[in-house]
Amino acid sequence: MNRVAVVGAGMSRFGTRRLPATSLFAEAFREAQGSVDRGFDPSAIEAAWIGSLGFGGGQIGNAASLLASEIGAPGIPAERVENACASSGFAFRDAYLAIASGAADVALAGGVEVMNDLEPVHQRFWLGVSGDTLWERLAGATFPGVYALLAGLHMHEFGTTREQLASVAVKNHANGARNPKAQFQKEVPLERVLASPMVASPLSVFDCCSTTDGASAVILASERTARAYTDTPVWIEASAAATDALALHDRRSFTSLEATARAGAQAFARAGLRPDDVDVAEVHDCFTIAEILAVEDLGFVPKGKGGAWSDAGRSSIQGDVAVNPSGGLKAKGHPLGATGTAQVEEIFLQLRGEAGARQRSGAEVGLAHNVGGSGATCTVHLFRRG
Amino acid sequence: MNRVAVVGAGMSRFGTRRLPATSLFAEAFREAQGSVDRGFDPSAIEAAWIGSLGFGGGQIGNAASLLASEIGAPGIPAERVENACASSGFAFRDAYLAIASGAADVALAGGVEVMNDLEPVHQRFWLGVSGDTLWERLAGATFPGVYALLAGLHMHEFGTTREQLASVAVKNHANGARNPKAQFQKEVPLERVLASPMVASPLSVFDCCSTTDGASAVILASERTARAYTDTPVWIEASAAATDALALHDRRSFTSLEATARAGAQAFARAGLRPDDVDVAEVHDCFTIAEILAVEDLGFVPKGKGGAWSDAGRSSIQGDVAVNPSGGLKAKGHPLGATGTAQVEEIFLQLRGEAGARQRSGAEVGLAHNVGGSGATCTVHLFRRG
């Protein structure tokens, strides 16, 4: 397989934007373009993969060609990927495979979602479609409800506390306060998290990510091309993906997302790396419990210990592993299909030492972990500073 | 790039099935499995790409993991691709790239669509989303309307006649009559096509494809693995894709689908083949005019001559090129996301001499051409008998 690098990455400002998907995606692409050290002409893009749940911005189907035209790359092969909230993690993987195969030297991966143009009742419908329809959605289970079940069992089995869950929110909001593109850029004290209104016990408002408009874009290049763009490429050391049963009742465990565990183990094996080699990780914290499951399932901390580990500050920016220095889905925001490649953008910045006030010092190895639904789809990518 | 073969392919019976997408996809997969000469265990699948517009069968989002579980391959990386009616053409291309890269030895590509579980008003909405929303769908342009514009100009510029358009329908229904899985298995005389009710002038009912439920599945293998499954693999000689402006008014031509022309030219160049090397082609005949545009844009016949060429029987099963021996979208049916890999299935059968009453004798080289929307997305694949 040919080696593949990330040579540019960008994201739109995340938040309540209410712009067409085309405009948001173009904003993200311009940022990515601007990040390429020696400049980047969109005509160099040979193919694009773009993740989206697809319900925002007006163009619901066949949007890939529209997005390609919008960024100045009309006519290229462009494809929409939909794997719920892991859509752009999978889009990134497709772009990686295209370059690894030798079919392309330069490819684009990205994602976009407009959520705030929908009425709340439609948001609930569309969000719900990423979980199991037959057994969960039609029975009224929303994502906060589903993750609350996982949180409740984790508390029961391992003694995880609400304060430990809340510590994830406190950390990620503190990180988001240092990210000028985050949806929420304000620190939130523990007391406020604990006192926030209950959504689905034990998850309160500050345990849940938000409704976000946004886009992200990443430029990938082959080894022979990367040096034409930059002296500091970020190498993709491994790409792995997995799925799990869509419905919770078909799974073997409720205190582990097995797709994460499998994709993570494969990624580490392919890269010849171990969890303690990782300096910085963007993991899929759609709820505080989701970050705790992720750091356990990825092997940063033994199963059941994630809550105490977070509460002890071990996942802070200068902790054992900087987990979600961007603010994560929790504070940076979660525009579904845009999240996977936004995670890659943060890792790109961190490994190049360009993450400003939220920089993990000396970061050499990074990980991006993107989950779809309640864990039915997952990608894990490992990166190393070039 | 590693060489990639098709070692198995299958499709469900196409028609008004009203089954869940999971059941239809499992039916297609079992057929594909049954077509592998030395047997095939689903646990061999390392990754899957599944095309769907996604509006049928109940599970609207994140369905890839559900479909993977359904066919006995739980946990594998599985991804939904949505590029309108070219969804599974692009899914097939992704699976090809994964094997070409060396990341996998065995992959699955497929597609599924359930259209008959929707009320007609919703069908119109969902179908419309594959065309441009801002300038076309919201102005009331349906796909028959859009293709009628292309047909009208083709008639005006090149003297194409309604009888020539109708000859495509007559041929494809004659072919469909020999395909036990086609939605329509009855010959339709020219007079009946011409006398059928007008939908959008000059396209009448028999110029348009139908509303279809169905699924298809193709098993791809690397060169080093293919021979373990069969002595007669079908080699993928080239994979190409392109896009065009989504809205008609942004295009340079209305009598050519440029994405087809570009993807076709790239595919022939990569394979070192020419249009007259092709014995059998499945092209995207969502309307009769679409087949005429396709045979011209792919280079089987000069621009403007496609109508007369079809009318003269040159695209019949034993003609210059057997075009749509399966019956095409016109008679086999068009379950949107399932069409691209159903085309590959027909080429697989034809190149192995297994197409029964519709066999093109001595077929050595085949082509599959899949279009999304009114030409905004397109894949072209070339195949050779192993």
Side-chain angles (χ1 to χ4, degrees):
Chain A
M1 294 176 73
N2 299 328
R3 277 185 92 195
V4 186
V6 176
V7 298
M11 60 179 265
S12 73
R13 190 166 55 73
F14 278 12
T16 303
R17 304 292 307 274
R18 290 202 180 91
L19 291 170
T22 43
S23 307
L24 283 173
F25 190 67
E27 181 180 330
F29 176 71
R30 283 191 304 269
E31 293 285 317
Q33 197 178 10
S35 77
V36 179
D37 295 330
R38 286 195 269 279
F40 185 78
D41 189 309
S43 68
I45 305 171
E46 294 166 68
W49 284 261
I50 301 161
S52 180
L53 235 69
F55 55 83
Q59 182 66 42
I60 298 173
N62 216 15
S65 75
L66 190 67
L67 296 168
S69 297
E70 186 75 16
I71 60 166
I76 61 166
E79 173 182 320
R80 175 188 160 215
V81 174
E82 184 278 310
N83 264 16
C85 306
S87 294
S88 60
F90 277 87
F92 182 75
R93 179 171 156 77
D94 287 333
Y96 163 81
L97 291 173
I99 296 179
S101 75
D105 277 311
V106 178
L108 182 74
V112 59
E113 213 76 59
V114 185
M115 299 178 73
N116 282 297
D117 64 346
L118 292 171
E119 314 252 333
V121 62
H122 289 121
Q123 283 177 18
R124 277 197 299 277
F125 169 75
W126 281 110
L127 277 166
V129 305
S130 301
D132 179 86
T133 289
L134 193 59
W135 302 98
E136 294 171 9
R137 179 164 68 88
L138 298 183
T142 62
F143 275 107
V146 166
Y147 275 94
L149 292 173
L150 307 182
L153 195 63
H154 204 277
M155 293 167 88
H156 176 76
E157 287 199 4
F158 304 118
T160 302
T161 65
R162 272 206 70 208
E163 287 71 17
Q164 292 171 350
L165 293 175
S167 74
V168 171
V170 171
K171 167 182 68 73
N172 290 353
H173 279 285
N175 293 349
R178 305 171 187 193
N179 183 351
K181 288 188 179 165
Q183 181 167 20
F184 304 108
Q185 301 179 28
K186 221 161 66 172
E187 301 210 4
V188 176
L190 182 68
E191 301 65 36
R192 185 148 177 234
V193 176
L194 292 173
S196 67
M198 192 56 72
V199 176
S201 176
L203 304 178
S204 69
V205 164
F206 278 101
D207 288 291
C208 307
C209 67
S210 54
T211 297
T212 315
D213 307 323
S216 54
V218 176
I219 299 166
L220 299 86
S222 65
E223 184 163 23
R224 67 177 181 187
T225 312
R227 297 286 177 189
Y229 292 111
T230 179
D231 291 328
T232 50
V234 168
W235 296 103
I236 304 168
E237 296 289 311
S239 170
T243 57
D244 196 354
L246 188 58
L248 285 189
H249 67 256
D250 285 330
R251 301 199 189 155
R252 278 182 291 195
S253 170
F254 291 166
T255 54
S256 170
L257 298 188
E258 285 200 10
T260 296
R262 270 183 292 114
Q266 284 174 17
F268 283 117
R270 284 174 196 164
L273 291 167
R274 296 182 318 175
D276 62 10
D277 292 319
V278 174
D279 301 302
V280 55
E282 288 281 306
V283 309
H284 200 92
D285 61 323
C286 46
F287 299 92
T288 50
I289 181 64
E291 178 168 316
I292 290 173
L293 294 174
V295 297
E296 294 172 352
D297 293 332
L298 290 167
F300 295 140
V301 58
K303 181 52 66 187
K305 306 287 188 194
W309 189 74
S310 294
D311 201 24
R314 308 274 294 274
S315 53
S316 67
I317 289 177
Q318 306 306 347
D320 300 3
V321 186
V323 176
N324 287 324
S326 71
L329 287 60
K330 189 72 258 312
K332 185 177 59 179
H334 181 28
L336 316 179
T339 283
T341 37
Q343 294 174 320
V344 175
E345 192 246 8
E346 179 70 14
I347 298 299
F348 177 76
L349 295 176
Q350 291 281 346
L351 296 187
R352 284 163 51 107
E354 298 169 351
R358 62 186 191 279
Q359 179 67 47
R360 161 75 173 207
S361 57
E364 294 280 340
V365 173
L367 177 148
H369 163 253
N370 191 199
V371 168
S374 57
T377 43
C378 177
T379 57
V380 175
H381 289 92
L382 280 163
F383 303 86
R384 188 189 285 275
R385 182 190 172 84
Chain B
M1 297 175 71
N2 298 330
R3 279 185 92 196
V4 186
V6 176
V7 299
M11 59 179 265
S12 73
R13 190 166 55 74
F14 278 13
T16 303
R17 304 292 307 274
R18 289 201 181 90
L19 290 170
T22 42
S23 307
L24 282 173
F25 190 67
E27 182 181 328
F29 175 72
R30 283 192 304 270
E31 293 286 317
Q33 198 179 9
S35 77
V36 179
D37 296 331
R38 287 194 268 279
F40 184 79
D41 189 311
S43 68
I45 304 171
E46 293 166 69
W49 284 261
I50 300 161
S52 180
L53 236 69
F55 56 83
Q59 181 66 42
I60 297 172
N62 216 14
S65 75
L66 190 66
L67 295 169
S69 297
E70 186 75 16
I71 61 167
I76 60 166
E79 174 183 318
R80 174 187 161 214
V81 174
E82 184 277 310
N83 264 17
C85 306
S87 295
S88 60
F90 278 86
F92 182 74
R93 179 170 156 75
D94 287 333
Y96 163 81
L97 291 172
I99 296 178
S101 76
D105 276 312
V106 178
L108 182 75
V112 60
E113 214 75 61
V114 185
M115 300 178 73
N116 283 296
D117 64 346
L118 293 170
E119 313 255 331
V121 63
H122 289 119
Q123 282 179 17
R124 276 197 298 277
F125 170 76
W126 281 110
L127 276 166
V129 303
S130 300
D132 179 86
T133 289
L134 194 57
W135 301 99
E136 295 172 6
R137 179 163 67 88
L138 298 183
T142 61
F143 275 106
V146 166
Y147 274 95
L149 293 172
L150 307 182
L153 196 64
H154 205 277
M155 294 167 87
H156 176 75
E157 287 199 4
F158 305 118
T160 302
T161 65
R162 273 206 69 209
E163 287 73 16
Q164 291 171 351
L165 294 175
S167 74
V168 171
V170 171
K171 167 182 69 72
N172 289 354
H173 278 287
N175 293 350
R178 304 171 188 192
N179 183 350
K181 287 186 180 167
Q183 182 167 18
F184 304 109
Q185 301 179 28
K186 220 160 69 172
E187 301 211 4
V188 177
L190 182 67
E191 301 66 37
R192 186 152 177 229
V193 176
L194 293 173
S196 68
M198 192 57 71
V199 176
S201 177
L203 304 177
S204 68
V205 164
F206 278 103
D207 287 292
C208 308
C209 68
S210 55
T211 298
T212 314
D213 306 325
S216 54
V218 176
I219 300 165
L220 299 86
S222 65
E223 185 164 21
R224 68 176 179 188
T225 312
R227 298 286 177 187
Y229 292 112
T230 177
D231 291 328
T232 51
V234 167
W235 296 102
I236 303 169
E237 296 290 311
S239 170
T243 57
D244 197 354
L246 189 58
L248 284 189
H249 67 257
D250 285 330
R251 301 200 189 155
R252 280 182 291 197
S253 170
F254 291 167
T255 53
S256 171
L257 297 188
E258 285 198 11
T260 296
R262 270 183 293 113
Q266 284 174 18
F268 282 118
R270 283 174 197 165
L273 290 168
R274 297 182 318 173
D276 62 9
D277 291 322
V278 174
D279 301 303
V280 56
E282 289 280 306
V283 308
H284 200 91
D285 61 324
C286 46
F287 299 93
T288 50
I289 182 64
E291 178 168 316
I292 289 173
L293 294 174
V295 297
E296 293 172 353
D297 293 333
L298 291 167
F300 294 141
V301 58
K303 181 51 67 183
K305 307 288 188 192
W309 189 74
S310 294
D311 200 24
R314 308 274 293 273
S315 53
S316 65
I317 289 177
Q318 304 306 347
D320 299 4
V321 186
V323 177
N324 286 325
S326 71
L329 287 60
K330 189 73 255 317
K332 185 177 58 179
H334 181 29
L336 314 179
T339 282
T341 36
Q343 295 175 320
V344 175
E345 191 245 10
E346 179 70 14
I347 298 299
F348 177 76
L349 294 176
Q350 290 281 345
L351 297 186
R352 285 164 49 108
E354 297 169 350
R358 62 186 191 280
Q359 178 68 47
R360 160 76 171 205
S361 56
E364 293 280 340
V365 173
L367 179 149
H369 163 253
N370 192 198
V371 168
S374 58
T377 42
C378 178
T379 57
V380 175
H381 288 92
L382 280 163
F383 302 87
R384 190 190 283 276
R385 181 191 173 81

